[in-house]
Amino acid sequence: MNTILPILEPAAPPSLTDENDSLRLRDSHGRFITDLRLSVTDRCNYRCVYCRTGTDGARLLRIFVSLGIEKIRLTGGEPLLRHGLLDLIHETAQLRPAFSEQPLDIALTTNGHLLAPLAQPLKDAGLSRITVSMDAVDAETFTRITRVPGSFERVRAGIRAAQDAGLGPVKVNCVLLRGFNDTQIEAFAEFSRTENVIVRFIEFMPLEEDRKWTPESVVPMSEIVARLNAIRPLVPLAANNPSETARRFTFADGRGEIGIIAPVSQPFCGHCSRIRLTSDGSLRTCLFSQSDHDLVGLLRRGATDDDLRTRIRAVVHRKEARHHIGEPGFQQPSRSMVHIGG
Ligand code: SAM
């Protein structure tokens, strides 16, 4: 469903004082919330085996930025299928974070299928960074996963176009699934080095439509590290910021960068700064939330900006301390990844 349409006004200039801490969006666990994942559509042109069997949104974005959001990641579904995406990025780029002097960081996660011709327009519209999801570096395995023939070459061309457009270094996300693509780890390391991209391996989480997740289907971080170390010694890199999800590594010769995102074996909830806005305008405080909170309905019933700010603060205050993947009684979230926005 596409309800997010652009039309934004410039925000107030940044101001930096400790007193601002009481104004910034914060949950009851003391975490500042600075990172908004915006699902711009729940349509997707891939049917990855582990995932599938307007003006209102623009106003919400402005309100979120006024509350301390510093980074917006556009996602979906497949965000490049979204009509008006370039306008949305252009207008979002006019906003200034309320409590930081840095420009708003606008990132996008895409399957890359439609990226090649759009890379330069995305950069020109104001996109800061791009992540491309790519779950294999050989064409046959890739097609087996995405269920779309010819997809590997399209996505690789998209990555190269993004690098040429100045959106590099591109991050390449690979969700590892035991028995599907766990043979690809070493080849991905080589891909990082030859294509000059940051490869990030992600542990598979129970968020798929047909509920196939088992603990055994997860390829844990320890195994990924051991296998990479066996080809070339890994050297840890410092985190870029405290809420960074990936553990970063390079190789001893400094070529290539690998990130490992291990929400299952090494959860990082304690530093979570993320909230999500679904494509139908609901706020989610965790990927694994059992419910979401309708903001667009409130807005259409005449809520003022202050009403919306109050509602957002109240919802964020109750953000979950952590997820419970793998624990007895764990319940899958109320929506699957393609609807939540990854
Ligand atoms: N269509 C876009 C794409 O493919 O990048 C954006 C949406 S997709 C849901 C966002 C990211 O979530 C992708 O990198 C995808 O691999 C990841 N993802 C989807 N289902 C997942 C799962 N069950 N566990 C871990 N990551 C998952």
Side-chain angles (χ1 to χ4, degrees):
M1 211 193 281
N2 290 339
T3 54
I4 309 286
L5 296 169
I7 291 184
L8 300 175
E9 295 156 18
S15 56
L16 287 175
T17 66
D18 287 347
E19 285 155 30
N20 283 335
D21 282 0
S22 61
L23 301 173
R24 293 170 61 191
L25 208 49
R26 197 173 195 177
D27 69 12
S28 61
H29 311 286
R31 297 172 297 194
F32 286 112
I33 302 303
T34 53
D35 190 342
L36 176 69
R37 304 271 162 126
L38 176 67
S39 176
V40 292
T41 176
D42 58 10
R43 292 163 62 218
C44 189
N45 47 348
Y46 279 12
R47 298 178 51 242
C48 293
V49 284
Y50 56 85
C51 190
R52 308 282 326 252
T53 63
T55 47
D56 293 342
R59 182 171 159 209
L60 287 175
L61 275 188
R62 183 169 46 76
I63 290 170
F64 277 112
V65 171
S66 77
L67 286 167
I69 291 296
E70 298 170 1
K71 170 176 157 190
I72 294 178
R73 177 171 294 278
L74 303 165
T75 180
E78 173 45 46
L80 299 188
L81 290 175
R82 178 68 166 77
H83 297 296
L85 180 71
L86 293 175
D87 289 341
L88 177 63
I89 293 173
H90 179 73
E91 296 184 37
T92 305
Q94 314 306 310
L95 298 174
R96 297 287 167 266
F99 306 110
S100 163
E101 283 168 351
Q102 301 298 318
L104 189 65
D105 182 15
I106 308 173
L108 180 139
T109 304
T110 170
N111 62 32
H113 197 80
L114 302 173
L115 179 57
L118 277 171
Q120 191 64 56
L122 285 165
K123 171 75 181 170
D124 295 344
L127 190 71
S128 325
R129 301 179 294 117
I130 199 158
T131 299
V132 178
S133 305
M134 189 179 172
D135 298 317
V137 283
D138 86 75
E140 201 183 310
T141 312
F142 195 71
T143 299
R144 199 152 55 87
I145 294 171
T146 62
R147 299 185 280 198
V148 175
S151 42
F152 175 73
E153 289 76 12
R154 295 269 305 239
V155 176
R156 190 179 52 189
I159 291 171
R160 290 177 176 169
Q163 305 264 53
D164 291 346
L167 287 166
V170 170
K171 288 181 183 161
V172 173
N173 275 1
C174 166
V175 178
L176 286 171
L177 259 79
R178 181 83 62 204
F180 265 109
N181 62 348
D182 51 336
T183 53
Q184 299 281 305
I185 293 175
E186 292 79 4
F188 262 114
E190 202 47 39
F191 190 77
S192 164
R193 294 163 63 82
T194 54
E195 297 284 330
N196 197 23
V197 295
I198 301 171
V199 167
R200 305 195 319 164
F201 295 108
I202 306 178
E203 289 178 349
F204 180 42
M205 293 179 279
L207 289 163
E208 74 290 7
E209 282 179 340
D210 53 4
R211 318 249 151 163
K212 281 188 178 143
W213 187 92
T214 61
E216 295 70 38
S217 60
V218 178
V219 182
M221 174 160 167
S222 54
E223 180 178 331
I224 303 168
V225 167
R227 282 183 45 190
L228 291 172
N229 259 321
I231 36 171
R232 244 180 224 100
L234 281 177
V235 178
L237 293 171
N240 289 315
N241 60 67
S243 67
E244 183 159 24
T245 51
R247 305 281 183 92
R248 301 170 61 227
F249 301 90
T250 185
F251 292 100
D253 63 2
R255 277 186 64 209
E257 183 176 329
I258 306 290
I260 305 180
I261 303 177
V264 180
S265 70
Q266 316 239 346
F268 36 79
C269 306
H271 297 290
C272 182
S273 58
R274 281 170 290 284
I275 50 175
R276 291 177 153 78
L277 186 61
T278 64
S279 57
D280 53 0
S282 287
L283 179 59
R284 293 182 68 88
T285 48
C286 176
L287 266 179
F288 295 93
S289 294
Q290 290 302 321
S291 56
D292 41 42
H293 308 270
D294 178 26
L295 294 181
V296 153
L298 204 62
L299 181 150
R300 290 185 183 154
R301 288 193 296 278
T304 64
D305 286 3
D306 277 343
D307 295 338
L308 287 160
R309 271 190 273 268
T310 302
R311 176 76 178 135
I312 292 167
R313 280 187 196 285
V315 170
V316 165
H317 192 71
R318 296 193 302 272
K319 179 172 161 67
E320 298 80 345
R322 62 186 185 91
H323 70 65
H324 297 274
I325 300 174
E327 295 176 18
F330 168 78
Q331 283 184 301
Q332 284 220 340
S334 51
R335 300 207 214 188
S336 63
M337 188 67 133
V338 76
H339 301 294
I340 297 168

